[in-house]
């Protein structure tokens, strides 16, 4: 190999900077399959940002899909932007280096659009970092004509209100459908000499596009919303989510980027379906991505071949909300094993319902001694599992675990939530009891036939009520309540006969509480985000960078009561900040589910019996299976 | 490419070999890995025009085809120059390195010695001995750089160097320049040097009594027709 580094293109950062920061490869671009265009030869430059560190952002499939889609268009050049890590952040501020896109290494401020994908609430301060480092006004109202249009997308924009003041536009729903229309409108506006606000207002008429500045919000005395009304006649009252109905013939990145450094998702990802039939009442994804749409298995096989060939990755994984519900799963998984195992490709299985099929494929692709079984009962008792509509029963778990133990497995991971609506002490203790029963099932196997001790790891996260779920009305626990509950579980685990085989751990409570505020917040919350950022909050989802005390100061400074957003149970007639979005799933369905939850009544899944949630309005997917 | 660390360069080539469809051999077990080894890890911040790796294959195209297949999947800044069949008994590349050639210049503004630095460097080199303290895992020891620099000469704005690179005494240009600066009462600034590794050599002499017989790794093995 000769000539390594002989042709270095120009980098935004000097060698002296790159050599003294952590992982300089985060900032230099030039990865395999990076798209190279001449920025001077396109009409529209689109900077696509994931507001977290490179290794996280590069692992996100959605961004790869849109990157590929935009760059298929000759008149658009889409480039990537990630949050600079704390070390480079400091240097860029000290030396006044504007944030740049990886491909051209040119400043983001010179682009037409800055698109930000918003995957979790705790990245909000990173959004402000990206704007500020890019030298774009943080508040949309302060932006001048020469600044990029800032547009947000991703699951968090199903309640965009806490960050509405920082964005010119939001795209509600799946990105494949309306970006072409938006880009064409932008080009037309530019040609006509329209100004920024003209474009934003016109864009508000495109399906799925929400322009926060075009709406007026009034509040009642108690702080809840009185009304949200469009300021102009041509701006719609409701924004309907966008959805791809034919997921087998839409765009998919057959040549995904291959980073130089190891990233979180260092493998080919096959998205097998969108949506979920299950209807767990706490799950936002299960509601907002309705209806379920499966990808054709032959299309997926073709993608797998192309993507492995084009990336050289040594691993492939499947992505969906509930892979066991994909109707062609055995065919797909067996194909991947037969076709690629011999080529040294590792098949990384998603967590599957434990049955004969999954145990068979798991034993083919994993070392049974090292791998673990995963169950997500989410709640410790059957009563509470009925409340949350999680179909998994104790019988099913013990049966599945038993089968797996007989086949040689001895590690089990269990996922629970604490703080769910109607939760009692017995429900919490149920986490320990269930773990104990699984351990007991293991020790039923004769000593000479089992594989040493079993290891059960039970983890609990804390429940955050999310918009567009049946629990959107629910009260959320305080930090103190969360910690007290986790201690009770820990204590109960310690009392169990097989406590030495059970490990219990729980998430951080303070960050969960903040997530709760940001998830169901309104526009008033934006001042807190801004204040927290100005106090130095950044990378809040990274425990080493999270400063709860600064956030608490920010709430106090802004005169915002955190409990108004978390603890308060909403009345059924309250107007929510996100009510202007139409996800297809009706508020009356969600309310029906909220009532059934309190009565501990379960709801069958979409394939068993349609509940008329409203998602059939999209005219496809599971709602119309067997109906054509 | 100078910002990609050695482990990531290895990962890059593992994936490149798959993209190029080279029929590489894998180890057995649940997580098989490619049988591949690099001659000498290149430090972050160094340029190179001569890196080597050896791989084991089940079947192979011709040398010319393999070079084309690999270059079709390379990124800007990395290219494959040759692909050769190693003799069956060849030690793996890693263990056989004896010397390395480097070209060294200064980054802009970092030449504290000023004009005529190359003459001063030659004067430094022409001392009878150049003792330097080398820190190792076991402590410190003194080595004589004079014995370990085999050749040096000015070339354009920089210096060409051939230095010892065997496993016991892998000399880095920065060590030499630190000693050079120290001999002038100066301290080498951070990131002062632009270093390019030019080539790697094995030593074909029969015994230690004979003079070195350096042969470029590129001259080992045969072209596959």
């Amino acid at each position: 190999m000769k000539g390594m580094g002989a042709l270095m293109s120009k980098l935004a950062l000097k060698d002296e900077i790159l050599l003294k920061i952590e992982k300089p490869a985060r900032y230099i671009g030039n990865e395999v399959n990076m798209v190279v265009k001449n920025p001077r030869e396109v009409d529209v430059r689109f900077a696509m940002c994931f507001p977290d560190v490179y290794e996280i952002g590069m692992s996100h499939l959605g961004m790869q899909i849109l990157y590929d889609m935009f760059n298929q268009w000759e008149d658009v050049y889409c480039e990537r932007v990630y949050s600079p890590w704390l070390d480079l952040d400091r240097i860029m501020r000290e030396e006044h280096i504007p944030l740049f896109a990886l491909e051209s290494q040119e400043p983001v401020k010179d682009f037409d659009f800055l698109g930000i994908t918003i995957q979790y609430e705790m990245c909000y301060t990173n959004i402000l970092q990206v704007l500020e480092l890019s030298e774009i006004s943080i508040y949309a109202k302060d932006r001048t004509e020469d600044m990029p249009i800032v547009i947000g997308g991703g699951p968090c924009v199903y309640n965009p209100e806490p960050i509405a003041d920082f964005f010119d536009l939001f795209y509600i729903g799946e990105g494949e459908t309306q970006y072409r229309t938006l880009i064409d409108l932008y080009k037309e506006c530019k040609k006509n000499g329209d100004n920024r606000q003209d474009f934003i207002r016109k864009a508000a008429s495109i399906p799925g596009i929400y322009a926060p500045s075009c709406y007026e919000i009034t509040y009642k005395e108690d702080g809840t919303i009185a009304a949200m009304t469009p300021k102009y006649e041509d701006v719609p009252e409701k924004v309907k989510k966008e959805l791809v109905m034919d997921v087998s013939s839409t765009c998919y990145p057959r040549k995904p980027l291959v980073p130089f450094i190891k990233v979180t998702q260092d493998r080919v990802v096959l998205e097998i379906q969108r949506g979920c039939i299950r209807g767990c009442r706490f799950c936002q994804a299960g509601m907002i991505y309705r209806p379920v749409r499966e990808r054709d298995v032959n299309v997926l096989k073709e993608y797998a071949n192309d993507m492995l060939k084009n990336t050289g990755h040594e691993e492939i994984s499947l992505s969906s909300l509930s892979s066991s519900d994909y109707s062609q799963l055995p065919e797909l998984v067996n194909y991947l094993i037969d076709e690629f195992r011999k080529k040294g490709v590792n098949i990384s299985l998603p967590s599957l319902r434990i049955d004969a099929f999954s145990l068979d494929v798991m034993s083919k692709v994993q070392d049974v001694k090292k791998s673990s079984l995963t169950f997500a009962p989410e709640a410790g008792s059957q009563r509470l599992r009925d409340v949350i509509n999680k179909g998994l029963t104790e019988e099913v778990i013990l049966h599945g675990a038993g089968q797996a133990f007989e086949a040689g497995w001895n590690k089990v991971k269990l996922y629970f939530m604490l703080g769910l609506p109607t939760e009692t002490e017995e429900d919490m203790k149920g986490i320990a009891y269930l773990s104990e029963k699984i351990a007991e099932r293991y020790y039923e196997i004769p000593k000479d036939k089992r594989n040493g001790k079993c290891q059960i790891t039970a983890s609990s996260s804390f429940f955050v009520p999310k918009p567009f779920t049946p629990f959107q009305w629910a009260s959320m626990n305080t930090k103190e309540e969360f910690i007290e509950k986790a201690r009770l579980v820990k204590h109960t685990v310690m009392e169990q006969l097989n406590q030495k085989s059970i490990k219990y751990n729980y998430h951080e409570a303070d960050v969960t509480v903040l997530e709760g505020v940001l998830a169901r917040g309104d526009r008033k919350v934006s001042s807190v985000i801004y204040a927290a950022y100005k106090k130095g909050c950044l990378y809040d989802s990274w425990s080493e960078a999270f400063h709860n005390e600064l956030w608490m100061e920010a709430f106090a400074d802004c005169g915002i009561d955190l409990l108004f957003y978390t603890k308060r149970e909403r009345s059924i007639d309250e107007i929510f900040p996100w009510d202007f979005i139409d996800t297809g799933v009706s508020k009356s369905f969600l309310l029906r589910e909220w009532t059934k939850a309190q009565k501990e009544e379960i709801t069958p899944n979409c394939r068993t019996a349609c509940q008329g949630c409203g998602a059939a309005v999209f005219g496809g997917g599971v709602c119309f299976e067997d109906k054509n | 490419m100078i910002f990609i660390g050695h482990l990531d360069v290895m990962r890059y080539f593992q994936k490149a070999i798959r993209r190029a469809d080279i029929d590489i051999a894998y180890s057995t077990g649940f997580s098989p890995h490619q049988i591949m080894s690099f001659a000498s890890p290149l430090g972050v911040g160094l340029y190179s025009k001569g890196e080597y790796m050896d791989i084991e294959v089940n079947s192979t195209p011709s040398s010319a085809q393999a070079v084309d297949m690999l270059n079709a999947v390379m990124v800007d800044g990395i290219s494959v120059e040759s692909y050769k069949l190693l003799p069956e008994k060849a030690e793996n590349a890693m263990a056989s390195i004896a010397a390395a050639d480097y070209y060294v210049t200064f980054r802009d503004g970092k030449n504290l010695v000023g004009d005529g630095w190359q003459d001063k460097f030659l004067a430094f080199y022409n001392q009878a001995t150049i003792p330097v303290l080398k820190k190792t895992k076991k402590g410190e020891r003194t080595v004589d750089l004079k014995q370990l620099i085999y050749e040096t000469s000015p070339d354009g704005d920089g210096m060409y160097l051939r230095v010892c690179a065997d496993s016991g005494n892998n000399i880095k240009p920065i060590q030499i320049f630190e000693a050079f600066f120290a001999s002038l009462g100066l301290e080498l600034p951070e990131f002062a040097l632009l270093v390019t590794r030019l080539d790697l050599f094995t030593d074909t002499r029969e015994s230690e009594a004979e003079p070195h017989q350096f042969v470029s790794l590129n001259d080992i093995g045969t072209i596959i027709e």
Side-chain angles (χ1 to χ4, degrees):
Chain A
M1 305 166 257
K2 285 199 177 180
M4 276 174 85
L7 282 163
M8 288 301 291
S9 44
K10 205 172 160 283
L11 295 175
L13 301 171
K14 292 182 292 190
D15 287 6
E16 285 86 336
I17 293 175
L18 286 164
L19 289 172
K20 75 182 167 208
I21 56 177
E22 226 179 283
K23 301 190 185 172
R26 289 167 172 165
Y27 311 108
I28 61 173
N30 196 32
E31 302 94 328
V32 170
N33 296 332
M34 182 183 95
V35 176
V36 180
K37 294 187 184 185
N38 182 345
R40 258 46 75 187
E41 284 170 5
V42 296
D43 298 325
V44 176
R45 298 186 72 182
F46 196 105
M48 174 106 63
C49 171
F50 192 112
D52 204 318
V53 77
Y54 177 88
E55 295 93 304
I56 303 289
M58 278 294 281
S59 303
H60 187 245
L61 175 66
M63 195 159 151
Q64 294 251 16
I65 292 176
L66 294 182
Y67 178 79
D68 180 74
M69 178 187 80
F70 276 115
N71 282 318
Q72 301 277 339
W73 299 333
E74 270 185 25
D75 55 343
V76 180
Y77 189 11
C78 176
E79 307 184 38
R80 292 160 299 144
V81 181
Y82 302 102
S83 274
W85 186 245
L86 299 164
D87 55 355
L88 180 61
D89 175 276
R90 201 178 50 243
I91 293 170
M92 291 176 84
R93 286 170 201 273
E94 277 165 15
E95 302 195 12
H96 304 287
I97 301 168
L99 185 61
F100 53 91
L102 296 186
E103 276 72 5
S104 65
Q105 298 275 315
E106 291 175 358
V108 172
K109 63 182 171 190
D110 297 335
F111 281 61
D112 297 286
F113 285 90
L114 169 58
I116 304 179
T117 178
I118 314 166
Q119 298 291 319
Y120 31 84
E121 290 83 2
M122 298 319 294
C123 76
Y124 289 176
T125 52
N126 281 59
I127 295 174
L128 305 197
Q129 174 215 27
V130 165
L131 291 170
E132 189 166 58
L133 290 180
S134 298
E135 300 172 4
I136 298 170
S137 313
I138 291 181
Y139 280 99
K141 64 176 166 50
D142 300 330
R143 287 182 196 139
T144 52
E145 291 296 322
D146 58 329
M147 289 181 187
I149 300 289
V150 181
I151 180 167
C156 288
V157 307
Y158 283 87
N159 176 21
E161 293 306 89
I163 45 172
D165 289 347
F166 312 126
F167 283 83
D168 299 304
L169 298 172
F170 287 101
Y171 185 121
I172 317 283
E174 294 170 355
E176 289 97 333
T177 54
Q178 293 295 347
Y179 264 119
R180 187 64 250 180
T181 316
L182 186 71
I183 299 284
D184 287 338
L185 175 70
Y186 178 80
K187 284 168 67 172
E188 194 193 304
C189 287
K190 224 166 135 181
K191 204 169 71 191
N192 297 343
D194 288 347
N195 68 24
R196 184 180 188 91
Q197 200 51 38
D198 292 337
F199 165 69
I200 288 169
R201 182 166 157 186
K202 284 180 184 169
S205 304
I206 297 176
I209 301 293
Y210 167 51
S213 61
C214 296
Y215 295 79
E216 180 81 55
I217 295 154
T218 52
Y219 296 92
K220 295 179 184 168
E221 241 170 70
D222 64 6
T224 61
I225 292 172
M228 177 166 176
T229 37
K231 288 182 187 167
Y232 318 103
E233 273 176 14
D234 53 347
V235 172
E237 249 175 74
K238 283 234 166 196
V239 181
K240 191 170 171 190
K241 84 168 176 202
E242 275 299 304
L243 211 55
V244 178
M245 288 318 293
D246 184 359
V247 290
S248 296
S249 63
T250 182
C251 50
Y252 202 75
R254 290 174 192 242
K255 293 181 84 177
L257 287 145
V258 185
F260 289 109
I261 53 175
K262 210 163 167 46
V263 298
T264 314
Q265 183 93 260
D266 184 34
R267 53 185 72 88
V268 165
V269 181
L270 275 187
E271 189 195 38
I272 58 178
Q273 60 184 355
R274 289 187 184 171
C276 179
I277 59 170
R278 296 280 147 186
C280 299
R281 291 177 179 132
F282 56 83
C283 179
Q284 188 189 41
M287 297 293 164
I288 59 177
Y289 300 129
R290 287 187 172 211
V292 167
R293 293 145 291 151
E294 293 196 346
R295 275 210 167 94
D296 182 87
V297 69
N298 292 314
V299 170
L300 289 172
K301 289 176 187 174
E302 208 185 292
Y303 288 165
N305 276 294
D306 288 355
M307 292 168 81
L308 284 166
K309 167 83 186 132
N310 291 330
T311 58
H313 280 314
E314 42 284 287
E315 187 162 274
I316 184 165
S317 71
L318 307 181
S319 161
S320 80
L321 293 169
S322 172
S323 299
S324 289
D325 293 325
Y326 177 60
S327 62
Q328 307 296 307
L329 189 72
E331 183 178 341
L332 179 63
V333 170
N334 286 320
Y335 172 83
L336 296 178
I337 293 173
D338 295 345
E339 198 67 18
F340 300 118
R341 278 293 285 175
K342 58 177 185 276
K343 295 178 187 163
V345 175
N346 182 30
I347 318 291
S348 154
L349 293 171
S351 53
L352 298 173
R353 205 160 41 236
I354 304 300
D355 55 21
F357 161 72
S358 60
L359 289 175
D360 174 53
V361 295
M362 280 161 69
S363 67
K364 280 183 193 160
V365 302
Q366 301 166 352
D367 187 342
V368 170
K369 286 199 184 83
K370 285 183 193 152
S371 62
S372 57
L373 304 167
T374 304
F375 294 99
E378 307 292 0
S381 70
Q382 194 56 49
R383 188 201 73 78
L384 193 52
R385 284 195 291 273
D386 290 346
V387 169
I388 63 176
N389 203 40
K390 181 84 196 183
L392 202 53
T393 63
E394 186 172 300
E395 198 190 340
V396 167
I397 295 169
L398 291 176
H399 181 72
Q403 273 182 292
F405 292 154
E406 304 279 354
W409 271 273
N410 66 349
K411 292 188 188 72
V412 180
K413 281 187 200 155
L414 299 168
Y415 292 101
F416 298 96
M417 270 187 277
L418 283 172
L420 289 161
T422 79
E423 184 183 54
T424 65
E425 237 180 73
E426 274 312 294
D427 298 321
M428 301 170 215
K429 289 179 177 171
I431 293 175
Y433 302 154
L434 180 61
S435 306
E436 169 67 16
K437 281 179 190 160
I438 295 171
E440 284 172 9
R441 175 66 188 83
Y442 180 78
Y443 293 109
E444 279 172 22
I445 298 172
K447 209 168 186 174
D448 55 324
K449 285 189 183 143
R450 65 190 190 220
N451 182 16
K453 285 179 64 173
C454 74
Q455 292 173 38
I456 294 167
T457 309
S459 311
S460 46
S461 60
F462 297 114
F463 169 63
V464 179
K466 295 268 168 133
F468 292 109
T469 67
F471 290 164
Q472 60 181 348
W473 288 274
S475 164
M476 181 177 166
N477 285 165
T478 61
K479 174 180 165 179
E480 293 72 22
E481 287 167 329
F482 279 143
I483 292 170
E484 200 179 314
K485 289 180 174 188
R487 288 198 177 132
L488 174 74
V489 177
K490 181 123 205 150
H491 187 74
T492 317
V493 166
M494 302 293 275
E495 288 171 355
Q496 303 306 305
L497 201 62
N498 290 297
Q499 50 109 345
K500 282 187 177 160
S501 299
I502 307 170
K503 206 178 142 196
Y504 175 68
N505 49 48
Y506 54 93
H507 284 212
E508 281 161 52
D510 44 14
V511 74
T512 308
V513 169
L514 268 181
E515 199 187 316
V517 176
L518 301 177
R520 290 192 295 173
D522 53 23
R523 283 199 191 183
K524 290 178 281 186
V525 170
S526 64
S527 62
V528 181
I529 300 169
Y530 183 80
Y533 170 70
K534 283 293 168 186
K535 285 173 187 292
C537 291
L538 194 60
Y539 283 103
D540 296 305
S541 62
W542 294 71
S543 52
E544 71 260 44
F546 178 62
H547 298 293
N548 195 51
E549 69 289 354
L550 295 180
W551 274 97
M552 293 305 118
E553 277 177 39
F555 277 101
D557 291 358
C558 299
I560 299 272
D561 178 15
L562 184 150
L563 295 174
F564 174 81
Y565 297 98
T566 55
K567 188 76 185 160
R568 186 173 61 88
E569 181 172 331
R570 276 65 164 170
S571 69
I572 53 167
D573 55 0
E574 178 166 336
I575 298 171
F576 293 134
W578 53 91
D579 274 353
F580 73 94
I581 296 173
D582 175 7
T583 67
V585 176
S586 67
K587 199 171 182 181
S588 60
F589 167 76
L590 296 174
L591 190 58
R592 216 151 70 220
E593 284 291 294
W594 176 223
T595 313
K596 283 175 84 176
Q598 284 154 332
K599 290 193 272 185
E600 301 169 19
E601 282 174 28
I602 57 165
T603 296
N605 74 53
C606 297
R607 282 211 176 96
T608 311
C610 173
Q611 299 297 308
C613 73
V617 70
F618 295 103
V622 69
C623 311
F624 293 85
E625 266 174 19
D626 310 318
K627 281 181 189 165
N628 44 9
Chain B
M1 285 311 109
I2 66 167
F3 304 106
I4 315 293
H6 171 65
L7 289 177
D8 292 325
V9 170
M10 265 174 65
R11 276 168 23 87
Y12 167 83
F13 273 99
Q14 285 160 1
K15 291 178 197 281
I17 281 173
R18 291 172 163 282
R19 289 194 297 274
D21 257 332
I22 299 290
D23 186 13
I24 193 164
Y26 285 87
S27 66
T28 50
F30 262 103
S31 34
H33 60 267
Q34 299 177 353
I35 300 177
M36 165 193 285
S37 96
F38 272 71
S40 173
L42 183 70
V44 172
L46 270 65
Y47 292 87
S48 179
K49 290 182 173 182
E51 295 300 302
Y52 298 87
M53 62 194 262
D54 52 56
I55 60 173
E56 199 175 306
V57 293
N58 300 314
S59 65
T60 182
S62 73
S63 292
Q65 280 169 334
V67 168
D68 287 348
M69 284 157 72
L70 285 162
N71 281 330
V73 299
M74 290 291 120
V75 295
D76 238 14
I78 303 183
S79 67
V80 174
E81 298 292 308
S82 75
Y83 176 97
K84 285 181 170 177
L85 181 66
L86 290 172
E88 203 59 55
K89 282 181 189 160
E91 288 179 85
N92 76 37
M94 186 83 86
S96 64
I97 300 298
D101 280 2
Y102 290 96
Y103 181 70
V104 184
T105 55
F106 289 103
R107 283 204 161 83
D108 286 344
K110 302 280 181 165
N111 175 11
L112 303 187
V113 182
D115 288 346
W117 72 270
Q118 289 153 308
D119 291 336
K120 287 182 184 160
F121 185 87
L122 286 174
F124 160 78
Y125 176 67
N126 286 331
Q127 301 171 86
T129 62
I130 311 174
V132 294
L133 214 54
K134 197 179 170 191
K135 279 178 197 145
T136 65
K137 280 172 198 158
K138 287 174 193 159
E140 290 181 342
R141 68 187 170 106
T142 306
V143 294
D144 183 7
L145 284 181
K146 181 75 182 183
Q147 302 299 317
L148 302 170
I149 303 173
Y150 301 132
E151 268 183 71
T152 181
S153 58
D155 183 358
D157 296 331
M159 290 303 291
Y160 157 80
L161 292 162
R162 175 167 294 181
V163 301
C164 179
D166 69 26
S167 52
N169 282 304
N170 188 5
I171 298 300
K172 294 174 182 148
I174 191 165
Q175 295 170 312
I176 299 170
F177 274 73
E178 274 166 2
F180 168 48
F181 270 54
S183 74
L184 300 172
L186 295 168
E187 197 181 331
L188 186 69
E190 227 185 351
F191 316 122
L193 302 179
L194 270 172
V195 179
T196 306
R197 183 144 81 183
L198 300 171
D199 206 355
L200 293 169
F201 300 86
T202 188
D203 194 344
T204 57
R205 63 180 167 172
E206 299 285 325
S207 76
E208 294 214 355
E210 292 174 34
H212 292 295
Q213 289 277 338
F214 293 125
V215 174
S216 164
L217 292 192
N218 196 34
D219 294 332
I220 297 189
T222 50
I223 288 174
I224 306 162
E225 298 297 336

